[in-house]
Amino acid sequence: MSLAAVLIVKNEEAHLRACLETLSWADEIVVVDAGSVDATRDIARAFTDKVVVEDDWQGFGVQRQRAEALVESHWILMIDADERVTPELRDSISAAVALNQPAIYTLPRLSWCFGAFIRHSGWYPDRVARLYPRQRAGYNASLVHEKLENPERLTVKPLQGDLLHFTYRDLRHYLEKSAHYAQAWAEQRAARGKRGSLAAGIGHGIGCFLRMYLFKAGFLDGRQGLLLALLSAHSTFAKYADLWVRTRTSPPPDDAPGR
């Protein structure tokens, strides 16, 4: 049985080479680029000839579907450029593919953030469904927070060995990604006719902080745990605030100064 490692990328020159070096054992590597302006595509082409540009961005789900359509192998390992496959995880993946039993496999993801690996705060083991048989499972078309669909109700099994995740370069990177996700989330909800409120944002934000820092033992992650809980609460509030602005506020009047 053959395995394809599949990535969707944009401007990932800082991460991509290190990621692909941990995937050199895969039978096939597929990279779909969303219009990088750095060396991302050149780095990818050093590892595979399957590098395709799809720069009419329609969301994470659609981009993953485009990448899936290029795969020829029997199995797909969906991975992001800021992730690394450890040797233990590689062996676990190889064994599962060789066994070739129809199933979806989850990988335990260990994230490095603000100078430390985060082992609490609800971040670990953070199992993500990433290994699956081609044509029997696939990603939905969600704009953001896309999910792997399991229409045949295949058995879901855990793999051993960590998938390392180098998630944020710095605080600015976190805030930029957070703003992007908040915008996409609000757009998606507004398109479905949902409406937001600031009260809901405050309530969900407080709930997020308590859940991460207290109930999921974020305090055991030290100062990083406290910072992450605060930032996550802010991000949660921001997406509800964005939805409120989109659905419950009015545009400037036509006779406003400067118009």
Short mmCIF file of all heavy atoms in Angstrom, two decimals, residues 206-259:
data_model
loop_
_atom_site.label_atom_id
_atom_site.label_comp_id
_atom_site.label_asym_id
_atom_site.label_seq_id
_atom_site.Cartn_x
_atom_site.Cartn_y
_atom_site.Cartn_z
N ILE A 206 -15.10 34.46 28.59
CA ILE A 206 -14.83 34.09 29.98
C ILE A 206 -14.83 32.57 30.13
O ILE A 206 -13.97 31.99 30.81
CB ILE A 206 -15.88 34.73 30.92
CG1 ILE A 206 -15.70 36.26 30.94
CG2 ILE A 206 -15.76 34.16 32.33
CD1 ILE A 206 -16.78 36.99 31.71
N GLY A 207 -15.80 31.93 29.49
CA GLY A 207 -15.86 30.47 29.55
C GLY A 207 -14.61 29.82 28.98
O GLY A 207 -14.11 28.83 29.50
N CYS A 208 -14.10 30.39 27.89
CA CYS A 208 -12.89 29.87 27.27
C CYS A 208 -11.70 29.96 28.23
O CYS A 208 -10.93 29.00 28.38
CB CYS A 208 -12.59 30.64 25.98
SG CYS A 208 -11.04 30.18 25.18
N PHE A 209 -11.56 31.10 28.90
CA PHE A 209 -10.44 31.27 29.84
C PHE A 209 -10.53 30.26 30.99
O PHE A 209 -9.54 29.59 31.33
CB PHE A 209 -10.42 32.68 30.40
CG PHE A 209 -9.34 32.88 31.43
CD1 PHE A 209 -8.05 33.20 31.04
CD2 PHE A 209 -9.61 32.73 32.79
CE1 PHE A 209 -7.04 33.37 31.98
CE2 PHE A 209 -8.60 32.89 33.73
CZ PHE A 209 -7.31 33.22 33.32
N LEU A 210 -11.70 30.15 31.60
CA LEU A 210 -11.86 29.24 32.72
C LEU A 210 -11.61 27.80 32.30
O LEU A 210 -10.97 27.02 33.04
CB LEU A 210 -13.27 29.38 33.31
CG LEU A 210 -13.60 30.73 33.96
CD1 LEU A 210 -15.06 30.77 34.38
CD2 LEU A 210 -12.68 30.99 35.15
N ARG A 211 -12.10 27.44 31.14
CA ARG A 211 -11.93 26.06 30.66
C ARG A 211 -10.46 25.74 30.45
O ARG A 211 -9.97 24.68 30.88
CB ARG A 211 -12.72 25.89 29.36
CG ARG A 211 -12.71 24.47 28.81
CD ARG A 211 -13.74 24.31 27.71
NE ARG A 211 -13.55 25.26 26.63
CZ ARG A 211 -14.33 26.31 26.40
NH1 ARG A 211 -15.37 26.55 27.20
NH2 ARG A 211 -14.10 27.12 25.39
N MET A 212 -9.74 26.65 29.79
CA MET A 212 -8.33 26.38 29.49
C MET A 212 -7.45 26.45 30.72
O MET A 212 -6.63 25.56 30.96
CB MET A 212 -7.82 27.38 28.44
CG MET A 212 -8.27 27.12 27.04
SD MET A 212 -7.44 28.20 25.85
CE MET A 212 -5.73 27.63 25.97
N TYR A 213 -7.61 27.51 31.50
CA TYR A 213 -6.65 27.75 32.58
C TYR A 213 -6.93 26.92 33.84
O TYR A 213 -5.99 26.45 34.50
CB TYR A 213 -6.63 29.22 32.94
CG TYR A 213 -5.43 29.61 33.78
CD1 TYR A 213 -4.15 29.55 33.24
CD2 TYR A 213 -5.57 30.01 35.10
CE1 TYR A 213 -3.03 29.89 33.99
CE2 TYR A 213 -4.46 30.34 35.86
CZ TYR A 213 -3.20 30.28 35.31
OH TYR A 213 -2.08 30.61 36.06
N LEU A 214 -8.21 26.71 34.14
CA LEU A 214 -8.55 25.97 35.36
C LEU A 214 -8.93 24.53 35.07
O LEU A 214 -8.29 23.59 35.53
CB LEU A 214 -9.69 26.68 36.10
CG LEU A 214 -9.36 28.08 36.64
CD1 LEU A 214 -10.56 28.68 37.34
CD2 LEU A 214 -8.17 28.02 37.60
N PHE A 215 -10.00 24.34 34.28
CA PHE A 215 -10.53 22.99 34.09
C PHE A 215 -9.58 22.09 33.31
O PHE A 215 -9.57 20.87 33.51
CB PHE A 215 -11.89 23.05 33.41
CG PHE A 215 -12.89 23.91 34.14
CD1 PHE A 215 -13.81 24.67 33.45
CD2 PHE A 215 -12.90 23.95 35.53
CE1 PHE A 215 -14.73 25.46 34.12
CE2 PHE A 215 -13.81 24.74 36.21
CZ PHE A 215 -14.73 25.50 35.51
N LYS A 216 -8.79 22.68 32.40
CA LYS A 216 -7.85 21.88 31.62
C LYS A 216 -6.41 22.11 32.05
O LYS A 216 -5.47 21.82 31.31
CB LYS A 216 -8.03 22.17 30.13
CG LYS A 216 -9.41 21.72 29.63
CD LYS A 216 -9.54 21.79 28.13
CE LYS A 216 -10.90 21.23 27.70
NZ LYS A 216 -11.06 21.26 26.22
N ALA A 217 -6.26 22.62 33.27
CA ALA A 217 -4.96 22.71 33.95
C ALA A 217 -3.92 23.51 33.20
O ALA A 217 -2.73 23.18 33.21
CB ALA A 217 -4.42 21.31 34.26
N GLY A 218 -4.35 24.61 32.57
CA GLY A 218 -3.40 25.47 31.89
C GLY A 218 -2.37 26.07 32.83
O GLY A 218 -1.26 26.42 32.40
N PHE A 219 -2.71 26.18 34.09
CA PHE A 219 -1.76 26.75 35.07
C PHE A 219 -0.51 25.89 35.18
O PHE A 219 0.55 26.37 35.60
CB PHE A 219 -2.45 26.91 36.44
CG PHE A 219 -3.03 25.64 36.99
CD1 PHE A 219 -2.27 24.77 37.76
CD2 PHE A 219 -4.37 25.32 36.75
CE1 PHE A 219 -2.81 23.61 38.28
CE2 PHE A 219 -4.92 24.15 37.26
CZ PHE A 219 -4.14 23.29 38.02
N LEU A 220 -0.61 24.61 34.81
CA LEU A 220 0.57 23.74 34.84
C LEU A 220 1.54 24.03 33.70
O LEU A 220 2.68 23.56 33.72
CB LEU A 220 0.15 22.27 34.78
CG LEU A 220 -0.64 21.75 35.99
CD1 LEU A 220 -1.04 20.30 35.79
CD2 LEU A 220 0.18 21.90 37.28
N ASP A 221 1.10 24.79 32.71
CA ASP A 221 1.98 25.21 31.62
C ASP A 221 2.69 26.52 31.94
O ASP A 221 3.32 27.11 31.05
CB ASP A 221 1.18 25.36 30.33
CG ASP A 221 0.75 24.02 29.76
OD1 ASP A 221 1.61 23.12 29.69
OD2 ASP A 221 -0.43 23.87 29.38
N GLY A 222 2.59 26.98 33.18
CA GLY A 222 3.31 28.18 33.60
C GLY A 222 2.79 29.45 32.96
O GLY A 222 1.60 29.58 32.67
N ARG A 223 3.70 30.38 32.71
CA ARG A 223 3.30 31.65 32.14
C ARG A 223 2.75 31.50 30.73
O ARG A 223 1.86 32.24 30.31
CB ARG A 223 4.48 32.62 32.14
CG ARG A 223 4.92 33.00 33.56
CD ARG A 223 6.12 33.93 33.55
NE ARG A 223 6.51 34.29 34.91
CZ ARG A 223 7.55 35.05 35.20
NH1 ARG A 223 8.32 35.52 34.23
NH2 ARG A 223 7.84 35.33 36.47
N GLN A 224 3.28 30.52 30.00
CA GLN A 224 2.74 30.27 28.66
C GLN A 224 1.27 29.86 28.74
O GLN A 224 0.46 30.25 27.90
CB GLN A 224 3.54 29.17 27.95
CG GLN A 224 4.89 29.62 27.42
CD GLN A 224 6.01 29.50 28.45
OE1 GLN A 224 5.75 29.19 29.61
NE2 GLN A 224 7.23 29.72 28.01
N GLY A 225 0.92 29.06 29.75
CA GLY A 225 -0.46 28.65 29.92
C GLY A 225 -1.38 29.81 30.22
O GLY A 225 -2.50 29.89 29.69
N LEU A 226 -0.92 30.73 31.07
CA LEU A 226 -1.72 31.92 31.38
C LEU A 226 -1.90 32.79 30.14
O LEU A 226 -3.00 33.25 29.84
CB LEU A 226 -1.05 32.72 32.49
CG LEU A 226 -1.73 34.04 32.87
CD1 LEU A 226 -3.16 33.81 33.32
CD2 LEU A 226 -0.93 34.78 33.95
N LEU A 227 -0.81 33.01 29.41
CA LEU A 227 -0.88 33.84 28.21
C LEU A 227 -1.82 33.24 27.18
O LEU A 227 -2.64 33.94 26.58
CB LEU A 227 0.52 34.02 27.61
CG LEU A 227 0.61 34.84 26.32
CD1 LEU A 227 0.02 36.23 26.52
CD2 LEU A 227 2.04 34.92 25.84
N LEU A 228 -1.72 31.93 26.97
CA LEU A 228 -2.58 31.28 25.99
C LEU A 228 -4.05 31.36 26.38
O LEU A 228 -4.92 31.56 25.52
CB LEU A 228 -2.17 29.82 25.81
CG LEU A 228 -0.94 29.58 24.93
CD1 LEU A 228 -0.55 28.11 24.98
CD2 LEU A 228 -1.22 30.01 23.50
N ALA A 229 -4.35 31.20 27.65
CA ALA A 229 -5.74 31.29 28.10
C ALA A 229 -6.29 32.69 27.87
O ALA A 229 -7.44 32.86 27.43
CB ALA A 229 -5.84 30.90 29.57
N LEU A 230 -5.50 33.69 28.17
CA LEU A 230 -5.94 35.08 27.95
C LEU A 230 -6.13 35.38 26.46
O LEU A 230 -7.12 35.98 26.05
CB LEU A 230 -4.93 36.05 28.55
CG LEU A 230 -4.86 36.08 30.09
CD1 LEU A 230 -3.63 36.87 30.54
CD2 LEU A 230 -6.14 36.70 30.67
N LEU A 231 -5.17 34.94 25.65
CA LEU A 231 -5.27 35.19 24.21
C LEU A 231 -6.44 34.43 23.60
O LEU A 231 -7.13 34.96 22.71
CB LEU A 231 -3.97 34.78 23.52
CG LEU A 231 -2.76 35.68 23.79
CD1 LEU A 231 -1.50 35.06 23.20
CD2 LEU A 231 -2.97 37.08 23.23
N SER A 232 -6.67 33.22 24.03
CA SER A 232 -7.78 32.44 23.50
C SER A 232 -9.12 33.06 23.88
O SER A 232 -10.06 33.07 23.08
CB SER A 232 -7.71 31.00 24.01
OG SER A 232 -6.55 30.36 23.54
N ALA A 233 -9.21 33.60 25.10
CA ALA A 233 -10.43 34.30 25.50
C ALA A 233 -10.66 35.53 24.63
O ALA A 233 -11.79 35.81 24.20
CB ALA A 233 -10.33 34.70 26.97
N HIS A 234 -9.59 36.26 24.36
CA HIS A 234 -9.70 37.42 23.47
C HIS A 234 -10.14 37.02 22.08
O HIS A 234 -11.01 37.64 21.46
CB HIS A 234 -8.35 38.15 23.41
CG HIS A 234 -8.27 39.16 22.32
ND1 HIS A 234 -7.76 38.87 21.06
CD2 HIS A 234 -8.65 40.47 22.27
CE1 HIS A 234 -7.83 39.94 20.30
NE2 HIS A 234 -8.36 40.92 21.01
N SER A 235 -9.54 35.94 21.54
CA SER A 235 -9.89 35.48 20.20
C SER A 235 -11.34 35.04 20.12
O SER A 235 -12.04 35.29 19.12
CB SER A 235 -8.98 34.32 19.78
OG SER A 235 -7.63 34.73 19.76
N THR A 236 -11.81 34.38 21.17
CA THR A 236 -13.21 33.95 21.21
C THR A 236 -14.14 35.15 21.20
O THR A 236 -15.14 35.19 20.46
CB THR A 236 -13.46 33.09 22.46
OG1 THR A 236 -12.62 31.93 22.40
CG2 THR A 236 -14.91 32.65 22.54
N PHE A 237 -13.82 36.15 22.04
CA PHE A 237 -14.65 37.37 22.04
C PHE A 237 -14.62 38.05 20.68
O PHE A 237 -15.65 38.51 20.17
CB PHE A 237 -14.15 38.35 23.11
CG PHE A 237 -14.81 39.69 23.02
CD1 PHE A 237 -16.09 39.88 23.51
CD2 PHE A 237 -14.16 40.76 22.42
CE1 PHE A 237 -16.71 41.12 23.41
CE2 PHE A 237 -14.77 42.00 22.32
CZ PHE A 237 -16.05 42.19 22.82
N ALA A 238 -13.44 38.10 20.05
CA ALA A 238 -13.29 38.82 18.78
C ALA A 238 -14.17 38.25 17.68
O ALA A 238 -14.74 39.00 16.88
CB ALA A 238 -11.82 38.80 18.34
N LYS A 239 -14.31 36.93 17.62
CA LYS A 239 -15.12 36.37 16.53
C LYS A 239 -16.61 36.67 16.73
O LYS A 239 -17.33 36.93 15.75
CB LYS A 239 -14.86 34.87 16.38
CG LYS A 239 -15.31 33.99 17.51
CD LYS A 239 -14.92 32.53 17.23
CE LYS A 239 -15.48 31.59 18.28
NZ LYS A 239 -15.07 30.19 18.02
N TYR A 240 -17.07 36.70 17.98
CA TYR A 240 -18.46 37.08 18.22
C TYR A 240 -18.67 38.57 17.98
O TYR A 240 -19.73 38.98 17.49
CB TYR A 240 -18.88 36.69 19.64
CG TYR A 240 -19.18 35.22 19.78
CD1 TYR A 240 -18.20 34.32 20.18
CD2 TYR A 240 -20.45 34.71 19.51
CE1 TYR A 240 -18.46 32.97 20.30
CE2 TYR A 240 -20.73 33.36 19.62
CZ TYR A 240 -19.73 32.49 20.02
OH TYR A 240 -20.00 31.15 20.12
N ALA A 241 -17.66 39.36 18.33
CA ALA A 241 -17.74 40.80 18.08
C ALA A 241 -17.79 41.09 16.58
O ALA A 241 -18.54 41.95 16.12
CB ALA A 241 -16.55 41.51 18.72
N ASP A 242 -16.99 40.36 15.82
CA ASP A 242 -17.00 40.51 14.37
C ASP A 242 -18.38 40.17 13.81
O ASP A 242 -18.91 40.88 12.94
CB ASP A 242 -15.94 39.60 13.76
CG ASP A 242 -15.66 39.91 12.29
OD1 ASP A 242 -16.58 40.33 11.58
OD2 ASP A 242 -14.51 39.71 11.85
N LEU A 243 -18.96 39.09 14.29
CA LEU A 243 -20.30 38.71 13.82
C LEU A 243 -21.33 39.77 14.19
O LEU A 243 -22.23 40.09 13.39
CB LEU A 243 -20.69 37.35 14.43
CG LEU A 243 -22.04 36.79 14.00
CD1 LEU A 243 -22.10 36.58 12.49
CD2 LEU A 243 -22.32 35.47 14.74
N TRP A 244 -21.21 40.34 15.39
CA TRP A 244 -22.13 41.41 15.80
C TRP A 244 -22.01 42.62 14.89
O TRP A 244 -23.02 43.19 14.45
CB TRP A 244 -21.83 41.81 17.25
CG TRP A 244 -22.64 42.99 17.72
CD1 TRP A 244 -23.96 43.00 18.09
CD2 TRP A 244 -22.17 44.34 17.84
NE1 TRP A 244 -24.34 44.27 18.44
CE2 TRP A 244 -23.27 45.11 18.30
CE3 TRP A 244 -20.95 44.96 17.63
CZ2 TRP A 244 -23.17 46.48 18.54
CZ3 TRP A 244 -20.86 46.31 17.86
CH2 TRP A 244 -21.94 47.07 18.31
N VAL A 245 -20.78 43.02 14.58
CA VAL A 245 -20.57 44.17 13.70
C VAL A 245 -21.20 43.91 12.33
O VAL A 245 -21.82 44.79 11.72
CB VAL A 245 -19.07 44.47 13.56
CG1 VAL A 245 -18.82 45.49 12.46
CG2 VAL A 245 -18.51 44.98 14.88
N ARG A 246 -21.06 42.69 11.82
CA ARG A 246 -21.57 42.36 10.49
C ARG A 246 -23.10 42.31 10.43
O ARG A 246 -23.70 42.62 9.40
CB ARG A 246 -21.03 41.00 10.04
CG ARG A 246 -19.56 40.98 9.77
CD ARG A 246 -19.06 39.54 9.52
NE ARG A 246 -17.61 39.52 9.39
CZ ARG A 246 -16.97 39.76 8.26
NH1 ARG A 246 -17.65 40.00 7.16
NH2 ARG A 246 -15.65 39.73 8.23
N THR A 247 -23.73 41.89 11.53
CA THR A 247 -25.16 41.59 11.48
C THR A 247 -26.05 42.56 12.26
O THR A 247 -27.26 42.55 12.06
CB THR A 247 -25.41 40.17 12.00
OG1 THR A 247 -24.95 40.06 13.37
CG2 THR A 247 -24.68 39.15 11.15
N ARG A 248 -25.47 43.37 13.11
CA ARG A 248 -26.32 44.21 13.96
C ARG A 248 -25.94 45.70 13.94
O ARG A 248 -26.48 46.48 14.71
CB ARG A 248 -26.28 43.71 15.41
CG ARG A 248 -26.93 42.34 15.59
CD ARG A 248 -26.91 41.89 17.03
NE ARG A 248 -27.52 40.61 17.24
CZ ARG A 248 -28.81 40.41 17.53
NH1 ARG A 248 -29.63 41.44 17.63
NH2 ARG A 248 -29.28 39.18 17.72
N THR A 249 -25.01 46.08 13.11
CA THR A 249 -24.66 47.49 12.98
C THR A 249 -24.96 47.96 11.56
O THR A 249 -25.03 47.16 10.63
CB THR A 249 -23.18 47.74 13.31
OG1 THR A 249 -22.35 47.03 12.38
CG2 THR A 249 -22.84 47.29 14.72
N SER A 250 -25.11 49.28 11.40
CA SER A 250 -25.49 49.85 10.11
C SER A 250 -24.28 50.51 9.44
O SER A 250 -23.38 51.00 10.12
CB SER A 250 -26.60 50.90 10.31
OG SER A 250 -27.72 50.32 10.95
N PRO A 251 -24.27 50.52 8.11
CA PRO A 251 -23.20 51.22 7.39
C PRO A 251 -23.36 52.73 7.53
O PRO A 251 -24.44 53.21 7.94
CB PRO A 251 -23.39 50.77 5.94
CG PRO A 251 -24.86 50.44 5.86
CD PRO A 251 -25.22 49.88 7.19
N PRO A 252 -22.33 53.51 7.22
CA PRO A 252 -22.46 54.98 7.31
C PRO A 252 -23.57 55.48 6.40
O PRO A 252 -23.80 54.94 5.32
CB PRO A 252 -21.09 55.47 6.84
CG PRO A 252 -20.18 54.30 7.01
CD PRO A 252 -21.01 53.10 6.79
N PRO A 253 -24.30 56.53 6.83
CA PRO A 253 -25.36 57.09 5.96
C PRO A 253 -24.76 57.74 4.72
O PRO A 253 -23.59 58.14 4.70
CB PRO A 253 -26.03 58.13 6.85
CG PRO A 253 -24.98 58.49 7.87
CD PRO A 253 -24.20 57.23 8.10
N ASP A 254 -25.55 57.84 3.67
CA ASP A 254 -25.07 58.40 2.41
C ASP A 254 -24.63 59.85 2.54
O ASP A 254 -23.78 60.33 1.79
CB ASP A 254 -26.15 58.29 1.33
CG ASP A 254 -26.42 56.85 0.94
OD1 ASP A 254 -25.50 56.02 1.13
OD2 ASP A 254 -27.53 56.55 0.47
N ASP A 255 -25.22 60.57 3.51
CA ASP A 255 -24.88 61.99 3.66
C ASP A 255 -23.82 62.23 4.72
O ASP A 255 -23.63 63.36 5.18
CB ASP A 255 -26.14 62.80 4.00
CG ASP A 255 -26.79 62.32 5.29
OD1 ASP A 255 -26.40 61.25 5.81
OD2 ASP A 255 -27.72 63.00 5.76
N ALA A 256 -23.09 61.15 5.12
CA ALA A 256 -22.05 61.32 6.13
C ALA A 256 -20.92 62.17 5.57
O ALA A 256 -20.65 62.13 4.35
CB ALA A 256 -21.51 59.95 6.55
N PRO A 257 -20.24 62.98 6.40
CA PRO A 257 -19.12 63.82 5.93
C PRO A 257 -18.08 62.97 5.21
O PRO A 257 -17.71 61.89 5.68
CB PRO A 257 -18.56 64.41 7.23
CG PRO A 257 -19.71 64.38 8.17
CD PRO A 257 -20.50 63.15 7.83
N GLY A 258 -17.62 63.46 4.08
CA GLY A 258 -16.59 62.77 3.32
C GLY A 258 -17.13 61.82 2.29
O GLY A 258 -16.36 61.24 1.53
N ARG A 259 -18.47 61.69 2.22
CA ARG A 259 -19.05 60.78 1.21
C ARG A 259 -19.74 61.60 0.13
O ARG A 259 -20.19 62.70 0.35
CB ARG A 259 -20.06 59.83 1.86
CG ARG A 259 -19.43 58.89 2.85
CD ARG A 259 -20.36 57.76 3.20
NE ARG A 259 -20.66 56.92 2.03
CZ ARG A 259 -21.36 55.79 2.10
NH1 ARG A 259 -21.80 55.35 3.25
NH2 ARG A 259 -21.59 55.08 1.01
#
